[in-house]
Structure formats: C-alpha cells, structure tokens
Amino acid sequence: MTDIETTVRNLATIAAAKKLLAEAEAREKAALASQVTRGTNYAYTAAGEELGYATVPKPSKPTPAIVITDAAQMFPWLVETFGPEVIEERVVLTDQGRKSFEAYVLEAHKAAGSEDYFDLPGVSVTVPPVRDPAPRFTPAKNVVELVRGMAARGELDLSQVLALEGGEK
C-alpha cells in the first residue's frame, strides 16, 4: 500500500471515528440528562487527576417573541403614540437592484482590464488573492461499517491512526 493510500484510508477511519464519537457523545449526554436534572459532575482518572466536567444548566425561561407582520399598518399608531421621530423614510436597494448593479460593475471592471482603474463613485472592486487548494476527504456513506469490518479483519490499528500510542505529536 502506498503512502497516499494509507493516508486516505486513515482519513476514512477518522471520518468513521468522528461519526461513532458523535453517536457515543449523544448517547452519553442523553444518559447524563436522564440522571441529573441540574448541576456539575466531575470526572477523574484513577490517579485523581481531573479529566473535565459535565454540566446541566438550569432551564431557560421562554421569552415572548414579537413579530411585526405589516409595519405600514402600525405606523399611524406608532406616530400617534410615540411621535414622528420613531419612524424614518429611507431608500433601500432591492435584491434584484443589487444583482443588476453587481453584474454591471463586474462587467465594467472586466472591460477596464485592470484592478487599478475602475471609475464609479462610491464603489470599489477588490480581487482576493488565489488560495491554495486544501485537501478534502469525503467519506463513503457506509464508512463506519467499512472501518468496523477492516478493524475486525485486522487491517488497521486504530490506536496508530489516532496516534494514541507513543505520546503526543
């Protein structure tokens, strides 16, 4: 097996481990919620070193949410109750207007042929630097089952993949 194949296989193993860890975490949090209604619980190693703690906070009180369904209908009441200073008129660019404007600006910028020259008051065009492509790994939908099978057949050592042996890197 090549180094690249080993690395990609390790990524598949890590993806499976993430899914299994997420499931285990959800299971343990549900168990904690069923056992503790509120408070903090600490975990320790056999030597008495603190590993961390889990908390169950007090429940939050729901707060009413106000939804304005039609502001224009409430304006007369607002002005009558609080005075004319509670409202303002303003011009807003519509979504379609923004799309049309951006298309025009990009075309004009392209036609100008240079980042240094673009003459439209109140508008600047910046071009971000090209980023180096970052490696990505997309696991198979059944990666957990596949990795479990590999582990059962002895095809991988999870402690080696996760660098559990030999100290921290």
Side-chain angles (χ1 to χ4, degrees):
M1 184 177 304
T2 67
D3 287 346
I4 291 175
E5 290 171 333
T6 300
T7 299
V8 174
R9 198 163 106 171
N10 285 349
L11 287 170
T13 302
I14 291 165
K18 282 181 179 179
K19 285 185 176 190
L20 292 170
L21 286 170
E23 290 170 8
E25 182 180 31
R27 216 176 24 252
E28 293 304 318
K29 283 183 176 180
L32 180 68
S34 70
Q35 297 170 25
V36 179
T37 55
R38 186 169 174 225
T40 302
N41 294 280
Y42 291 85
Y44 300 95
T45 65
E49 299 164 314
E50 184 181 319
L51 290 169
Y53 60 92
T55 59
V56 179
K58 70 178 182 179
S60 61
K61 293 181 181 177
T63 56
I66 298 170
V67 178
I68 298 173
T69 56
D70 188 353
Q73 286 186 356
M74 62 181 224
F75 284 164
W77 178 86
L78 275 170
V79 171
E80 182 181 319
T81 306
F82 300 109
E85 62 275 357
V86 297
I87 62 171
E88 69 178 350
E89 285 188 49
R90 56 184 166 153
V91 177
V92 179
L93 188 60
T94 65
D95 289 340
Q96 182 58 49
R98 177 173 289 283
K99 287 177 187 176
S100 298
F101 175 72
E102 288 176 354
Y104 172 83
V105 169
L106 288 175
E107 194 59 39
H109 178 263
K110 184 178 176 183
S114 170
E115 288 182 45
D116 299 333
Y117 177 76
F118 183 74
D119 189 22
L120 187 59
V123 178
S124 65
V125 177
T126 58
V127 179
V130 175
R131 294 186 308 168
D132 290 333
R136 286 187 293 245
F137 175 74
T138 304
K141 291 185 186 218
N142 61 340
V143 69
V144 172
E145 293 79 16
L146 295 172
V147 169
R148 280 182 173 154
M150 289 169 45
R153 293 186 298 275
E155 296 177 16
L156 64 88
D157 179 5
L158 190 57
S159 63
Q160 183 180 13
V161 172
L162 299 177
L164 296 175
E165 298 173 353
E168 296 181 10
K169 285 190 173 183

